Amino acid sequence: MNKITAVSQDTFIVAGREYRSRLLVGTGKYKDFEETARAIEASGAEIVTVAVRRVNVTDPGKPMLVDFVSPKTYTYLPNTAGCYSAQDAVRTLRLAREAGGWDLVKLEVLGDQKTLFPNVVETLAAAETLIKEGFKVMVYTSDDPIIAKKLEDLGCCAIMPLAAPIGSGLGIQNPVNIRLIIEQSKVPVLVDAGVGTASDAAIAMELGCDGVLMNTAIAEAKDPIKMARAMKLAIEAGRLAYLAGRMPKKRYADPSSPLAGLI
Amino acid sequence: MSATMNIIVNGEPRAFHAGGSVAALLTSLGIDRRKVAVERNLEIVPKSAFDTTALTDGDKLEIVHFIGGG
């Protein structure tokens, strides 16, 4: 019983707020807002990323995300997807803060349209400005431990290295780097981008990640609602396995049944 | 007839009555002010200032909201 209690108290804390779920999900690429809402519910996520875009002035009465995924129920994490300079990212998040009134944000400054790899020089510049302005910055970055450390030193409240290119579903390509970043960081480390299926999420958690952020792996599954639930379970399983501590790997077999008393 | 001015809203030129406020513009566009943020000539207009911020000819406005994204 004690162990079960201990696990249920294993909460995820970011920027001083406590969450039960270690799965963070995006709200893009779904068929419609209803599917978005159902998938998020099935995932158990409490933090959802959202994008900031122009209102359609010619048809402002169209349904809006906030009508289906309530900011009262979920922590909205505005992102800077599509920004290729520190200036654009900062501008976007200032608007996001005004639109929603939240200072917890996801910073991502992209460097290349084909790979969507982050431009870490611009990311560092944007992080510095945002933190000075009082934002709590969860930052998407490369899997470079040196850059991750610089971002933490600037005051970012979570470091979010990619596991593989955004939307690629290739899984954890860089377990060694991810583990190095986890070992050195005092703030939460989340894998952001690249997860394709449940086992990828479990691997990230077994490495010791504090959480995983994903969008496409759920939204582009044949059945997004089922995959959302699979991801929820994978995150929990991976976290439990990490906390349990895996057995050492051995080169040869080691029988599970005692040899003593053999007939 | 009141005088009109030309402003740019989300990249599109638009005529609006001279001296109208940000709040009046949002109302005329049918936009729920609680769900958006407004930037005027690259400066954020705080929600609390929507009623008191008068627009002037040539203003460039961005009206944004949250949409699905990863």
Side-chain angles (χ1 to χ4, degrees):
Chain A
M1 276 311 286
N2 287 340
K3 274 184 184 164
I4 291 168
T5 313
V7 168
S8 69
Q9 285 168 351
D10 172 43
T11 54
F12 165 58
I13 296 170
V14 65
R17 288 183 68 174
E18 198 172 356
Y19 297 92
R20 286 186 309 276
S21 173
R22 293 175 177 273
L23 173 57
L24 286 68
V25 298
T27 54
K29 295 182 175 171
Y30 288 97
K31 187 176 70 190
D32 51 35
F33 286 137
E34 253 165 47
E35 187 183 75
T36 312
R38 284 176 58 220
I40 292 170
E41 200 188 343
S43 78
E46 296 164 294
I47 303 176
V48 300
T49 60
V50 294
V52 178
R53 292 291 183 269
R54 284 173 166 170
V55 169
N56 183 350
V57 177
T58 52
D59 190 7
K62 278 213 304 203
M64 286 186 179
L65 180 70
V66 291
D67 302 323
F68 291 81
V69 180
S70 172
K72 291 191 179 97
T73 311
Y74 298 97
T75 297
Y76 266 35
L77 184 67
N79 70 21
T80 58
C83 292
Y84 283 79
S85 69
Q87 196 184 357
D88 284 349
V90 170
R91 187 181 170 204
T92 300
L93 290 177
R94 283 178 184 148
L95 277 164
R97 176 156 70 176
E98 193 54 34
W102 309 288
D103 48 21
L104 184 66
V105 295
K106 172 182 161 179
L107 171 66
E108 64 175 281
V109 186
L110 303 174
D112 174 52
Q113 295 199 345
K114 196 171 172 186
T115 59
L116 298 180
F117 277 152
N119 180 331
V120 292
V121 176
E122 292 292 306
T123 302
L124 285 162
E128 194 167 6
T129 305
L130 291 165
I131 289 160
K132 271 190 198 137
E133 293 185 15
F135 285 91
K136 310 244 179 3
V137 181
M138 301 177 74
V139 62
Y140 165 68
T141 184
S142 64
D143 60 11
D144 178 345
I146 309 302
I147 296 296
K149 183 73 169 63
K150 280 190 191 294
L151 288 164
E152 182 177 353
D153 290 345
L154 279 176
C156 290
C157 68
I159 307 297
M160 306 202 291
L162 54 83
I166 293 173
S168 70
L170 288 170
I172 317 289
Q173 297 297 305
N174 47 3
V176 174
N177 284 26
I178 298 284
R179 198 195 297 273
L180 285 173
I181 293 172
I182 292 165
E183 276 176 14
Q184 73 179 18
S185 302
K186 291 178 186 68
V187 295
V189 175
L190 294 88
V191 154
D192 178 6
V195 166
T197 188
S199 53
D200 298 333
I203 289 169
M205 295 310 292
E206 286 172 5
L207 283 171
C209 281
D210 294 279
V212 177
L213 201 167
M214 65 178 77
N215 190 153
T216 314
I218 298 175
E220 288 191 357
K222 279 182 188 157
D223 184 337
I225 317 299
K226 259 193 193 129
M227 187 57 91
R229 177 147 169 73
M231 289 301 186
K232 176 185 197 284
L233 296 171
I235 295 281
E236 288 172 9
R239 176 68 182 172
L240 267 174
Y242 170 72
L243 293 174
R246 63 154 297 143
M247 62 164 282
K249 289 183 181 179
K250 298 166 195 167
R251 293 186 62 193
Y252 298 101
D254 179 8
S256 295
S257 304
L259 295 176
L262 263 175
I263 52 166
Chain B
M1 226 185 88
S2 61
T4 61
M5 60 180 172
N6 295 307
I7 55 175
I8 311 271
V9 179
N10 288 356
E12 302 278 330
R14 199 166 266 276
F16 195 58
H17 64 264
S21 66
V22 170
L25 176 70
L26 293 176
T27 306
S28 81
L29 293 170
I31 292 170
D32 184 343
R33 59 188 282 170
R34 293 167 304 175
K35 292 178 183 171
V36 298
V38 179
E39 186 194 78
R40 177 191 178 212
N41 303 326
L42 300 177
E43 296 270 339
I44 299 276
V45 182
K47 279 183 204 252
S48 56
F50 280 1
D51 293 296
T52 52
T53 304
L55 300 172
T56 56
D57 197 51
D59 273 357
K60 287 196 176 92
L61 295 144
E62 292 290 342
I63 306 171
V64 302
H65 68 148
F66 293 124
I67 66 153

